[in-house]
Amino acid sequence: MARAHGVDHIVMYHAQPVAAAVREMTGGMGAHHAVDGIGGAMLAQTLDCVRPFGTVASVGQSAGPIPDLAVAELGPRRSIALARPSVFAYAADEARYRQAAAAFLAELEQGLRIAPGPSFPLAEAAAAHRALEGRRTSGTPLLLC
């Protein structure tokens, strides 16, 4: 599914060393930008994926809270930037939120499609969680009421 949406390289973080794979793909340089939606211990691996003067955006923490990070971890050895953007910042600014929502809806109208994944009856919510945790889903799983 990722390749169908234009992804050139895929790294399965739970099956291979991420930083080594990224370095191999980039001729040893590292990525210009990396987005970490996993959090927890994965953030340290994501920082290792980025080349000097690159940027890491930490946007999630499905693997646990974001660990404390010393500023020295960003530079001078690495010389990278770390951002921690959040949708809650948009929600706190109504004008910006409406602008972002309008842009998203315009993309949907232009043909952006989000493939639905498996459907689960609400009574099987625990099974849906197990499937997500076990990486046995693709697309967006749906709970049906």
Side-chain angles (χ1 to χ4, degrees), residues 110-128:
Q110 295 293 322
L112 174 65
R113 299 288 181 250
I114 300 170
S119 298
F120 297 87
L122 185 57
E124 295 179 17

Side-chain angles (χ1 to χ4, degrees), residues 14-123:
H14 57 279
Q16 65 189 112
V18 176
V22 171
R23 298 268 174 214
E24 183 178 324
M25 287 179 230
T26 60
M29 296 298 297
H32 289 283
H33 310 285
V35 178
D36 177 9
I38 306 297
M42 186 68 206
L43 180 59
Q45 293 181 56
T46 304
L47 294 173
D48 286 341
C49 292
V50 179
R51 67 179 61 199
F53 307 106
T55 303
V56 172
S58 170
V59 298
Q61 55 189 59
S62 61
I66 301 304
D68 290 339
L69 182 68
V71 174
E73 286 296 313
L74 303 177
R77 177 178 66 86
R78 288 184 170 141
S79 296
I80 62 175
L82 174 64
R84 182 82 169 121
S86 170
V87 71
F88 297 113
Y90 281 103
D93 180 339
E94 184 177 349
R96 179 178 280 180
Y97 182 80
R98 288 182 181 278
Q99 181 182 14
F104 175 74
L105 293 173
E107 286 292 324
L108 285 177
E109 287 176 354
Q110 295 293 322
L112 174 65
R113 299 288 181 250
I114 300 170
S119 298
F120 297 87
L122 185 57

Side-chain angles (χ1 to χ4, degrees), residues 2-3 5-10 25:
R3 289 203 192 281
H5 286 89
V7 172
D8 293 322
H9 304 283
I10 298 169
M25 287 179 230

